[in-house]
Amino acid sequence: MSAGPPPLRVGVVSIVVVSMFVSLFARLYFLQVLDDKTLEDVRGAALFDTIATEGTRGRILDRNGRVLVDNRESISVTIDRNVFNALDDQEEVVTRLASTLTEQGFPTKEADIRARLADPQFNPFKPAPIVDDVTVAVEAYLLERHFDFPSVNVVRNRVRTYPYGNLAAHVLGYTGAISAAELDARPKDRSLDPKPYEPGDQIGKSGVEKVFESDLRATPGVRVIEVDATNIEVDTRSEVRPVSGYDLQLTIDVDLQATVERELQAALLAARQQPKRNPADPDYRAPAGAVVVLDTMTSEVLAMASFPTYDPGDFIGGISSSRFAELTDAAAFNPLFNRATQAIYSPGSTFKTFTAVAALRSGLVSPGETVTDLGVWNLANCTEGCSFQNAGRTAFGTVDMRRSMVVSSDVYYYRIGEKFWVEQGTYGRTTIQNVARDFGLGSLTGVQLPDEAAGIISDPAFKAQRHIDNPTAFPFGEWLTGDNVNLAIGQGDIAVTPLQLANAYAAFANGGTLQAPSIARALLDHDDGAVVTSFAPRVTRQVALDPATRSVIAEGLAGVVNSNEGTAAGAFSGFDHPGFTVAGKTGTAEVPPRADSALFASFAPVAAPRYVVVAVLEEAGFASGTAAPLVRRIYDRIVEPVPAQPVSSSIQRTPAVTASTLPLLPAAVAPTIPPAPRTGGRRTTRARPTWR
Amino acid sequence: MALTRRSRDAVYSLRRDLAGPALHLDWSIVALSVLLVAIGIATIFSTTKGSGPTPDTSYVTRQVVALLLGLGLMIGLAILDYRRLREFVPLLYGGSLLLLVAVLVVGSELRGAQAWFAVGPFTLQPSEPSKFAFIVTLAAYLSIHRDDLTLRRLAIVLTVAGLPMGLILLQPDLGTMLVFAVITFTMLAVAGLPLRYLGGLVVAAAIGTSIVLGSGLLAEYQRDRLLVFIDTSADMSLDQSYNVEQSQTAISLGGVTGWGWGNGPQTQDGMVPEQETDFIFTAVGEELGFVGAATLLALFLALCLRITRAAQLARDDFGTLLCSGVLAMFAFQIFENVGMTMRIMPVTGIPLPFVSYGGSSLLTTLASVGVVLSVHMHRFR
């Protein structure tokens, strides 16, 4: 190129330049004219999107069709944490959102927003709810100023609403966003799941919401949409509409349920105000209790209350971790815990009904056989701890089967317990236990509620095995006479749920038909209310109960309430409903070091029993002054019902009456497990943790 | 229309001095430059406005600021007699070397290269102005030794070129280094380096490249980019081939007429990384189609031909060499940049002159145009 002046060489360069441009033009022409592509070529299937649409969850109704759980639309302000974490001006967004919400009438602190963002309760891949149930005005305000609030969104959800507030909370249960574990438990192949879940979908977490989840849940719809290049929906290709879930009709009666809950709270308050008989006695803290009302013929649950309770409305839109911790705090007596089915209690003297059945059925005693009750029973051939007393060492004199019930003579049953063990060659070693198990005590009732407790009915094999398994905590494995004596009065290693006790009394009352208690009556079509499935009574077994035996014991139980010397006579004084005679048994179970549990198990009317009412009050003292009056007031309302009042606004929540809204209580005594004492003298029940 | 006395005097005075620079301004270069920058700003807006109702104008604002500064620089350099540029050679060359060293020490790292100074809201990329400084320096040296380039002088030239190239490779910025190489080669050719030396340079470059590729001197991504170009199925290069794949796809989607400004699906969804800077041609191709993209290329070609003409008409070798250097810089950057988006060239980080977002590039481009205008204007006096 040395030839020629520079301008000529520049000409050569320009030829190179032109040829470079020619190649660019050629390539451009090829790409855009000869080989041009459509968006379908490039994006293909990405142009279609499949969206699951959630349908309406079934409602929950009472036995008369009144709505206990309904659905409504809720507007929530959310923050998408993935977007938020990428923001440079996180502080400003939080500050602006807090002040805006506060100005708009939803007082919100910056710390509240931060707490919600940090709350592990919420699925990290889903927007975290910041404030629920805002007004349409707030929604419009935030959406208009979308660009001032990056990562903030406003969403409308269908949420549960509770027309009767926290009524029957433990039965109903609560719903929440499906957890990762729950999602994993679904079929891996979503097409095999009749009602597949998306992350964030609502699922029943407890109560009938959990047990009947598959019926209540709507079948999700599927919408296939076509989106344009900017991911905006342009057309619906196909749509399968969601199908609403079934309505669930419960066996609960709203009026009775409201009465039972109100009276349970009142009884606990009253129990706390009792004077102590002896200053050294433990406090009557009366922190918790449960009541079950059953239909004796069908074992349908007409009412079931547990205290302390909670508000399922707290779970709408996701509950904060701190609130959840309060609801599961043992020191607050675990408000989420359904004591009617999940707590186990020593039945105390309410168990004598079954000891009596065992004694009469086996022929150990005859109804008219009398015992002279001097207030103390001494075991024969006994060297150590051989003396058992009546409560307060009261001497009842001549006592037969009927009177033993009326006055609650422990001595009468101590004798039965001893005789059974001494004469085991004739009657077998576990006659009392066999009867208790016949009546369903110590085993799951089969009610359609989650996480039911089984309870314990101890016997020689159980005691021996427990000693082998854990010799430190249980140094004695041998079943002694004293064990049998304690068992006869419902003390010792025996613990049942209030529902088990009620169901056993129902079987006794109806002549021996043990059924699984039901909480659900029917599934109804959401749109026309037609019955889809009805739940018939489920007979578990026919218990051998001679009518003569039954009537002797029933007379005794009727005397408890109606005879002048009956332990519940005072509680039922003035109870005057012709044709509606109540029979029942008080029970005062020792739970040292705490105050006694008070129990009352009953049925009515005696002539043709229809109702069973069982009440258990923890740390409440003598049953005759606490549990019996409670049950009496419930019968008053069974005879003369008082209608329950719905809460005025469905959004307005009634504050849940929990332990914290009643007078303050000392912190719970940690349940201590002392080594079982060598059985002998009046044995005390091992303190049993009734909640965990 | 009657002329006022004053305007008549002005016309007369212009006529009187037929060699005056003002008479010989190449308006077509000015018009082409402004048109190209306008297309650039419109495309930058389309690629950076975002999808919300309130568009993001921060990119466009910064680019307009750079444009105003650049136009001032262009006018100043056009008015300044280019021959006086020789006086600034030590300052330009020394200054640019200093900045290139400084950026390695105190610069900020962005997109994997330590090539930027952060100055408030603006960033300065010293490798851009150093290209301009290098062209002036090389033109000044070669114009003295035209047609008398001995091996020793060639060695001097290669040293002068090698210093900034080495510093830029350290950033590492392979693309800009290649621009330097092409400028050097072209200017040597125009200055009359014997053909055998030119051939020797090509052979040396080829050997050097293969040695560098084989050694660990290149960053992984640079090696990947080159290998992607050679073998599109190369495994380790998913990230790199993704970029080219997406950009070629977007251009194909454009078809003959395009989707319309602001409507390109790939562009608006941000499918092509760096679409406001190095891959801006993709957005033009998709949104304006063959009609628009070919028009853009035609404008570039016209500008290159006008610069060629300025080089040929220059009154001295210094002018010719200055214009040749600018021509080489523009032509190579256009070919490499547009070529890589259409997969006929390997991917390197080179901006498209006039069009890509970036103040340093725009200022350098307009300054270079200013020098070309000066060469053209001052060809008679």
Side-chain angles (χ1 to χ4, degrees):
Chain A
M1 222 181 261
S2 52
L8 193 63
R9 296 176 201 140
V10 173
V12 175
V13 170
S14 74
I15 291 170
V16 175
V17 171
V18 170
S19 59
M20 276 157 57
F21 273 94
V22 168
S23 63
L24 290 181
F25 278 116
R27 178 66 175 169
L28 193 64
Y29 184 79
F30 171 76
L31 287 181
Q32 297 200 299
V33 181
L34 300 181
D35 190 33
D36 74 319
K37 291 191 167 68
T38 63
L39 206 52
E40 278 77 4
D41 297 339
V42 174
R43 299 232 177 142
L47 278 169
F48 297 96
D49 212 345
T50 306
I51 295 176
T53 46
E54 244 188 308
T56 306
R57 190 174 175 87
R59 300 176 302 166
I60 302 177
L61 318 172
D62 92 333
R63 65 186 296 117
N64 298 310
R66 280 171 294 183
V67 180
L68 284 162
V69 184
D70 207 336
N71 303 292
R72 67 178 169 83
E73 193 161 69
S74 159
I75 308 175
S76 301
V77 178
T78 64
I79 288 185
D80 184 332
R81 281 168 289 183
N82 291 328
V83 177
F84 180 81
N85 291 336
L87 291 179
D88 295 330
D89 54 349
Q90 297 183 353
E91 297 288 330
E92 287 170 47
V93 172
V94 169
T95 310
R96 206 177 303 143
L97 183 61
S99 64
T100 303
L101 287 170
T102 305
E103 280 165 26
Q104 298 279 323
F106 293 88
T108 309
K109 294 196 205 76
E110 289 176 40
D112 299 341
I113 297 178
R114 298 210 169 277
R116 282 283 176 136
L117 288 173
D119 200 325
Q121 176 90 11
F122 305 119
N123 182 342
F125 300 107
K126 303 281 281 188
I130 303 301
V131 182
D132 296 315
D133 283 327
V134 298
T135 56
V136 179
V138 174
E139 178 187 36
Y141 185 96
L142 288 174
L143 291 181
E144 275 166 22
R145 292 161 185 79
H146 184 77
F147 284 89
D148 292 339
F149 297 97
S151 79
V152 176
N153 207 350
V154 185
V155 294
R156 289 182 175 228
N157 294 314
R158 297 284 292 171
V159 298
R160 287 308 221 185
T161 181
Y162 302 89
Y164 289 90
N166 66 347
L167 192 72
H170 293 100
V171 172
L172 300 175
Y174 57 90
T175 61
I178 189 166
S179 69
E182 286 163 337
L183 208 50
D184 283 346
R186 306 298 305 181
K188 290 283 167 285
D189 181 351
R190 284 169 53 86
S191 62
L192 296 180
D193 195 340
K195 296 180 178 179
Y197 291 78
E198 299 272 309
D201 280 1
Q202 296 290 301
I203 189 169
K205 300 280 189 179
S206 72
V208 292
E209 292 268 27
K210 179 178 184 179
V211 173
F212 292 94
E213 170 65 21
S214 59
D215 302 303
L216 289 167
R217 179 169 170 77
T219 308
V222 178
R223 219 154 63 82
V224 178
I225 58 164
E226 189 179 348
V227 293
D228 71 4
T230 51
N231 233 358
I232 291 179
E233 181 183 340
V234 289
D235 196 15
T236 300
R237 279 299 170 105
S238 68
E239 178 166 18
V240 179
R241 296 188 60 78
V243 180
S244 301
Y246 295 131
D247 284 352
L248 173 65
Q249 183 164 41
L250 299 180
T251 57
I252 296 285
D253 178 302
V254 163
D255 298 338
L256 187 57
Q257 178 74 25
T259 296
V260 165
E261 291 192 20
R262 189 173 58 243
E263 295 300 343
L264 172 59
Q265 282 168 37
L268 287 167
L269 262 179
R272 291 174 200 176
Q273 283 148 12
Q274 299 172 96
K276 281 199 232 181
R277 300 194 181 190
N278 180 340
D281 286 348
D283 291 327
Y284 295 128
R285 301 196 302 162
V291 174
V292 175
V293 182
L294 294 183
D295 180 318
T296 55
M297 303 317 288
T298 59
S299 271
E300 285 179 337
V301 178
L302 301 176
M304 177 183 279
S306 176
F307 187 90
T309 186
Y310 70 98
D311 185 354
D314 280 352
F315 290 84
I316 292 170
I319 191 168
S320 69
S321 288
S322 58
R323 182 77 185 121
F324 189 77
E326 283 168 34
L327 293 180
T328 49
D329 185 2
F333 301 94
N334 195 348
L336 290 185
F337 193 60
N338 183 0
R339 290 181 157 69
T341 58
Q342 296 177 287
I344 55 175
Y345 299 94
S346 284
S349 295
T350 60
F351 186 73
K352 287 175 183 168
T353 302
F354 308 101
T355 308
V357 171
L360 292 176
R361 197 165 81 175
S362 63
L364 183 82
V365 297
S366 65
E369 190 176 332
T370 61
V371 173
T372 306
D373 179 351
L374 300 173
V376 184
W377 181 255
N378 293 305
L379 299 186
N381 306 321
C382 173
T383 51
E384 185 192 349
C386 308
S387 183
F388 291 79
Q389 308 180 0
N390 278 341
R393 226 187 152 92
T394 317
F396 292 111
T398 306
V399 175
D400 65 359
M401 174 63 82
R402 292 178 188 82
R403 189 155 180 265
S404 76
M405 294 280 176
V406 175
V407 298
S408 202
S409 161
D410 287 345
V411 166
Y412 185 88
Y413 292 91
Y414 292 149
R415 174 173 170 266
I416 291 174
E418 183 183 15
K419 260 176 88 85
F420 265 128
W421 189 246
V422 172
E423 298 172 29
Q424 57 178 264
T426 311
Y427 301 105
R429 289 157 65 94
T430 58
T431 320
I432 298 173
Q433 290 95 329
N434 292 349
V435 170
R437 290 185 186 124
D438 271 0
F439 279 94
L441 298 176
S443 55
L444 300 175
T445 65
V447 70
Q448 304 108 321
L449 285 172
D451 305 320
E452 198 189 353
I456 299 165
I457 304 289
S458 184
D459 60 21
F462 175 87
K463 192 177 179 187
Q465 187 60 46
R466 194 173 59 178
H467 170 66
I468 292 164
D469 292 344
N470 192 346
T472 319
F474 304 102
F476 307 105
E478 189 190 351
W479 188 268
L480 302 174
T481 311
D483 289 317
N484 237 38
V485 170
N486 262 330
L487 178 69
I489 61 156
Q491 293 282 157
D493 286 321
I494 173 166
V496 300
T497 67
L499 180 63
Q500 275 174 19
L501 191 59
N503 205 38
Y505 267 77
F508 177 82
N510 69 28
T513 307
L514 182 74
Q515 301 166 93
S518 0
I519 196 80
R521 284 199 112 184
L523 294 171
L524 311 176
D525 187 279
H526 182 79
D527 299 319
D528 59 16
V531 174
V532 178
T533 309
S534 64
F535 300 103
R538 295 163 290 162
V539 176
T540 308
R541 74 176 71 87
Q542 207 63 43
V543 181
L545 183 65
D546 182 52
T549 303
R550 181 190 169 281
S551 83
V552 170
I553 298 169
E555 280 169 38
L557 293 172
V560 170
V561 174
N562 299 292
S563 147
N564 283 339
E565 59 176 350
T567 53
F572 278 82
S573 98
F575 182 85
D576 183 21
H577 299 291
F580 199 93
T581 317
V582 177
K585 184 73 200 79
T586 51
T588 303
E590 300 186 351
V591 196
R594 286 177 262 150
D596 296 344
S597 302
L599 295 94
F600 194 73
S602 66
F603 57 88
V606 175
R610 282 192 57 205
Y611 301 98
V612 163
V613 181
V614 166
V616 181
L617 304 177
E618 293 177 21
E619 302 182 47
F622 282 94
S624 52
T626 52
L630 163 60
V631 172
R632 178 250 166 97
R633 281 191 289 276
I634 291 170
Y635 278 118
D636 281 336
R637 294 282 78 84
I638 286 176
V639 179
E640 288 167 6
V642 174
Q645 295 302 317
V647 182
S648 52
S649 159
S650 57
I651 295 180
Q652 184 82 41
R653 290 180 201 158
T654 41
V657 183
T658 61
S660 59
T661 55
L662 281 173
L664 282 175
L665 294 162
V669 179
T672 51
I673 305 180
R678 188 170 175 79
T679 304
R682 171 83 194 239
R683 211 193 116 177
T684 51
T685 317
R686 194 167 57 78
R688 185 173 302 290
T690 51
W691 64 85
R692 274 180 212 281
Chain B
M1 192 198 295
L3 290 171
T4 61
R5 185 184 168 79
R6 173 173 277 208
S7 61
R8 212 164 41 228
D9 286 355
V11 170
Y12 178 71
S13 69
L14 275 175
R15 280 206 182 133
R16 207 172 42 181
D17 185 3
L18 287 173
L23 263 185
H24 301 284
L25 175 65
D26 187 344
W27 283 105
S28 65
I29 290 182
V30 177
L32 285 166
S33 300
V34 171
L35 210 53
L36 285 165
V37 178
I39 292 173
I41 287 176
T43 311
I44 289 164
F45 182 69
S46 172
T47 53
T48 59
K49 66 184 167 58
S51 52
T54 318
D56 180 355
T57 54
S58 59
Y59 286 82
V60 168
T61 309
R62 277 181 294 222
Q63 190 75 349
V64 168
V65 169
L67 170 64
L68 295 177
L69 289 172
L71 284 176
L73 197 59
M74 183 179 92
I75 291 165
L77 283 165
I79 292 168
L80 179 79
D81 190 335
Y82 69 93
R83 282 162 291 190
R84 292 195 54 202
L85 280 175
R86 289 180 204 269
E87 302 162 23
F88 297 100
V89 163
L91 181 68
L92 286 173
Y93 187 71
S96 66
L97 282 187
L98 210 63
L99 283 176
L100 287 173
V101 172
V103 81
L104 291 174
V105 182
V106 297
S108 319
E109 190 170 317
L110 195 64
R111 292 185 278 260
Q114 176 118 2
W116 279 266
F117 290 116
V119 190
F122 296 95
T123 53
L124 176 71
Q125 190 182 1
S127 61
E128 286 293 322
S130 73
K131 290 188 290 196
F132 173 80
F134 177 64
I135 291 170
V136 175
T137 307
L138 206 55
Y141 183 80
L142 290 174
S143 60
I144 303 167
H145 305 288
R146 169 162 90 83
D147 292 335
D148 192 16
L149 288 168
T150 59
L151 264 183
R152 190 174 146 274
R153 285 176 183 145
L154 178 61
I156 291 172
V157 168
L158 291 181
T159 308
V160 166
L163 281 175
M165 283 166 73
L167 289 169
I168 288 166
L169 201 53
L170 284 176
Q171 290 180 353
D173 181 353
L174 183 67
T176 307
M177 193 217 75
L178 285 175
V179 177
F180 272 80
V182 170
I183 291 170
T184 310
F185 186 83
T186 309
M187 289 176 74
L188 281 170
V190 171
L193 186 70
L195 267 178
R196 58 179 189 283
Y197 290 168
L198 284 176
L201 279 179
V202 172
V203 171
I207 293 169
T209 305
S210 50
I211 289 172
V212 168
L213 265 181
S215 73
L217 278 178
L218 279 185
E220 184 89 345
Y221 81 95
Q222 292 172 323
R223 217 172 64 93
D224 282 358
R225 283 175 177 176
L226 292 170
L227 293 178
V228 166
F229 181 66
I230 296 160
D231 174 11
T232 52
S233 63
D235 247 3
M236 72 286 189
S237 52
L238 274 178
D239 277 1
Q240 302 301 341
S241 70
Y242 170 83
N243 222 331
V244 183
E245 195 88 51
Q246 291 298 325
S247 82
Q248 188 190 318
T249 300
I251 291 169
S252 290
L253 275 175
V256 176
T257 52
W259 291 76
W261 180 75
N263 290 323
Q266 303 286 89
T267 303
Q268 298 304 322
D269 281 3
M271 304 294 281
V272 186
E274 302 295 330
Q275 58 175 354
E276 77 279 10
T277 55
D278 295 350
F279 279 85
I280 197 163
F281 187 75
T282 311
V284 176
E286 187 184 48
E287 300 199 333
L288 305 181
F290 182 73
V291 173
T295 303
L296 180 68
L297 287 182
L299 293 174
F300 273 129
L301 178 57
L303 182 73
C304 286
L305 294 177
R306 292 308 291 186
I307 296 173
T308 308
R309 181 169 170 274
Q312 287 169 327
L313 295 179
R315 67 180 293 151
D316 56 14
D317 292 342
F318 184 49
T320 302
L321 284 164
L322 280 174
C323 293
S324 313
V326 173
L327 174 67
M329 174 173 78
F330 285 175
F332 177 71
Q333 287 195 202
I334 293 162
F335 180 66
E336 161 56 31
N337 181 288
V338 175
M340 87 180 168
T341 64
M342 298 192 295
R343 203 179 226 164
I344 54 174
M345 289 296 282
V347 175
T348 53
I350 296 180
L352 186 60
F354 300 96
V355 181
S356 282
Y357 169 75
S360 305
S361 166
L362 188 56
L363 283 171
T364 305
T365 302
L366 291 175
S368 308
V369 171
V371 169
V372 172
L373 288 173
S374 179
V375 171
H376 191 78
M377 281 162 69
H378 294 91
R379 67 184 186 269
F380 298 116
R381 205 172 51 153

